[in-house]
Amino acid sequence: MTTEHTTTGAANSAFFKSEDWWAVWLGLLIFILGAGQIWNLDLLGWVSRFSVWIDPEQAVQASSKSFAWLNGIESAVITYLFVLVITTAGAYFMGSRIRNFALGFTVMYWITVGTSILGNYAYLAATPNSRDAFHISWSLSLGELGFVFALLVGLIIGNFFPKTAQFLSDAAKPEWYIKTGIVILGMSIGIQTIGALSLAGTVIVRGICAVVEAYLIYWPVVYIVARKFFRFTPEWAAPMASGISICGVAAAIATGSAIRARQIIPTILASVIIVFVAVELLILPFAASYFLPGEPMVAGSWLGLVVKSDGGAVASGAIADTLIRNQALQQFGIRYQEGWVLMATTTSKVFIDIFIGIWSFVLAIVWSVYHLNSKRAAADTSYTVSKREIWERFPKFIIGFAATLIIIFAAGYIQPDIVKAAKAGAGQANLLRGVFFSLCFFSIGLVTNVRQLWHAGLGRVIGVYAVALLGFIIWVGLIISWIFYHGVVPPVV
């Protein structure tokens, strides 16, 4: 009886204290509000839309004509208050210091508003076909630069203004923000799936195959490199292999827990991973758009397989989506539908996240049965693996992502007339997804303390990551993405 109550209590606690579950709750709330369009209820029309601009007064507007009476500042303030309330509720239940969170979030939000506005300046963001509308003769066509600016500002504050970084630290939750964004993304992908059912099925099936093939190669190679060439113990090598090859911080932590490694190990690995993710964000989306404008789905899948965090990968996919569509329009005169490159990235990342739970379970069995870490196994001979452990390691935000995708897809399939209204709602929800993505970028930069990393003497860990990433992960990921996505292109507008 006591055990049953304890288990139930722990489960109920997890529903309200888990970052993954709060990503589900917030994402589903926004999904429901966006779906109000199906019943002619414009519940998100006040959300800020950041537009490409020459006149600063046109930089921020309410997303719906029904709220045209709001000016840009008023729309941004209402959006801020809404996101502040829902995130503060989550932070409260997750045990954050509410005052510190709210103050830090306020500063972060308005910084990302500034970076979003700057990133949409016409000379930076206007596509070639829209230059005439802004009366300009040239532009860089680098949409989504606001994300990059947010990352850079976070890096500057995190590394040169430690007191400010400490003040903002309670609100810097990159994985929570990106997971919430991914749940919201499910609605948009559901709409896209209805419009191009056969292509969406192809993306999903090929994404699963690419993930399985890539990580059957990645993990053992990273493990061997760490053990044989850098002389790490299995306790270090296993979380390192998972973190570098599967999905960054989450995989390193899950694997460390599965094999009962010391807490310091995944903590140190997380620091290294975050630094590399920050560097990858600044380089790989632009490399993808430069070298792969004719293979947009290859580029999307490649980023999903190479960038080692949910936040970094999906954010990279968002940047690459815009850059590649601009390149395709400029070079080939083809206007690809928005979101498909990001869909390829997200699909890869979602199945990688599922792989975390599976792989952690496998490693727990291996460590338990074969006593690879013999001293720790001998000290805890009662260690067994249960179904509950699989559930605990499963990334819960994927449930929210799948729920939004399946619900909107099923509704649209049964009643095609609702697709147009649902698409409008998904567009408004996606604006909030952009808010969470910006917060994620800024948070990644903020928590990336490069100096602290070097002072900790982590040269060997960095060496493993550099050798693995530059030596084979980038190239194997590209080859596998090419095998499964070569010739697959998004629908044309």
Side-chain angles (χ1 to χ4, degrees), residues 5-182:
H5 281 299
T6 301
T7 302
T8 304
N12 291 335
S13 176
F15 276 112
F16 294 103
K17 292 188 176 180
S18 163
E19 187 177 88
D20 272 16
W21 278 118
W22 271 101
V24 173
W25 308 142
L26 299 191
L28 288 180
L29 171 63
I30 292 167
F31 163 76
I32 291 169
L33 295 176
Q37 289 279 1
I38 297 172
W39 298 278
N40 296 317
L41 297 174
D42 193 0
L43 302 178
L44 292 177
W46 41 265
V47 175
S48 298
R49 181 189 302 277
F50 297 97
S51 303
V52 179
W53 60 278
I54 283 290
D55 179 0
E57 292 186 0
Q58 303 301 315
V60 186
Q61 302 167 353
S63 63
S64 172
K65 293 180 179 178
S66 302
F67 289 83
W69 51 272
L70 289 174
N71 62 38
I73 295 175
E74 292 168 340
S75 173
V77 169
I78 294 173
T79 303
Y80 154 71
L81 292 173
F82 172 77
V83 181
L84 173 66
V85 169
I86 62 174
T87 54
T88 301
Y92 170 78
F93 283 101
M94 288 189 290
S96 295
R97 295 173 292 182
I98 296 306
R99 180 178 178 275
N100 291 11
F101 177 87
L103 291 174
F105 179 89
T106 299
V107 174
M108 288 173 53
Y109 174 85
W110 290 109
I111 287 175
T112 59
V113 166
T115 58
S116 296
I117 291 173
L118 179 60
N120 279 291
Y121 183 47
Y123 282 102
L124 299 176
T127 56
N129 63 308
S130 66
R131 289 170 186 161
D132 290 343
F134 295 104
H135 307 290
I136 58 177
S137 58
W138 65 273
S139 64
L140 298 179
S141 300
L142 297 176
E144 308 294 353
L145 264 184
F147 292 149
V148 178
F149 290 149
L151 175 70
L152 290 173
V153 173
L155 282 169
I156 291 169
I157 293 174
N159 287 276
F160 296 101
F161 302 94
K163 290 184 179 180
T164 304
Q166 180 62 33
F167 170 73
L168 299 175
S169 62
D170 284 276
K173 300 179 181 294
E175 294 298 317
W176 184 29
Y177 297 139
I178 201 65
K179 289 170 182 176
T180 303
I182 290 173

Side-chain angles (χ1 to χ4, degrees), residues 245-325:
S245 68
I246 298 178
C247 188
V249 174
I253 293 172
T255 299
S257 177
I259 67 171
R260 300 197 169 184
R262 288 167 292 164
Q263 182 60 44
I264 188 64
I265 293 174
T267 300
I268 291 174
L269 294 176
S271 301
V272 178
I273 290 166
I274 288 171
V275 170
F276 273 88
V277 166
V279 174
E280 290 166 350
L281 275 171
L282 294 173
I283 298 174
L284 294 185
F286 298 93
S289 68
Y290 182 81
F291 292 106
L292 297 168
E295 293 288 350
M297 303 302 279
V298 172
S301 173
W302 178 57
L303 292 171
L305 294 178
V306 171
V307 181
K308 300 305 171 190
S309 80
D310 292 323
V314 178
S316 295
I319 295 174
D321 190 284
T322 300
L323 294 176
I324 289 173
R325 286 186 295 107

Side-chain angles (χ1 to χ4, degrees), residues 331-373:
Q331 294 185 25
F332 314 123
I334 300 173
R335 189 192 302 272
Y336 288 127
Q337 189 178 106
E338 181 180 358
W340 284 90
V341 174
L342 177 57
M343 181 181 181
T345 303
T346 304
T347 299
S348 296
K349 211 63 191 166
V350 164
F351 288 111
I352 289 167
D353 286 331
I354 295 173
F355 202 68
I356 294 173
I358 296 171
W359 195 243
S360 296
F361 179 61
V362 169
L363 288 175
I365 294 174
V366 170
W367 249 251
S368 177
V369 174
Y370 293 101
H371 302 284
L372 294 182
N373 193 342

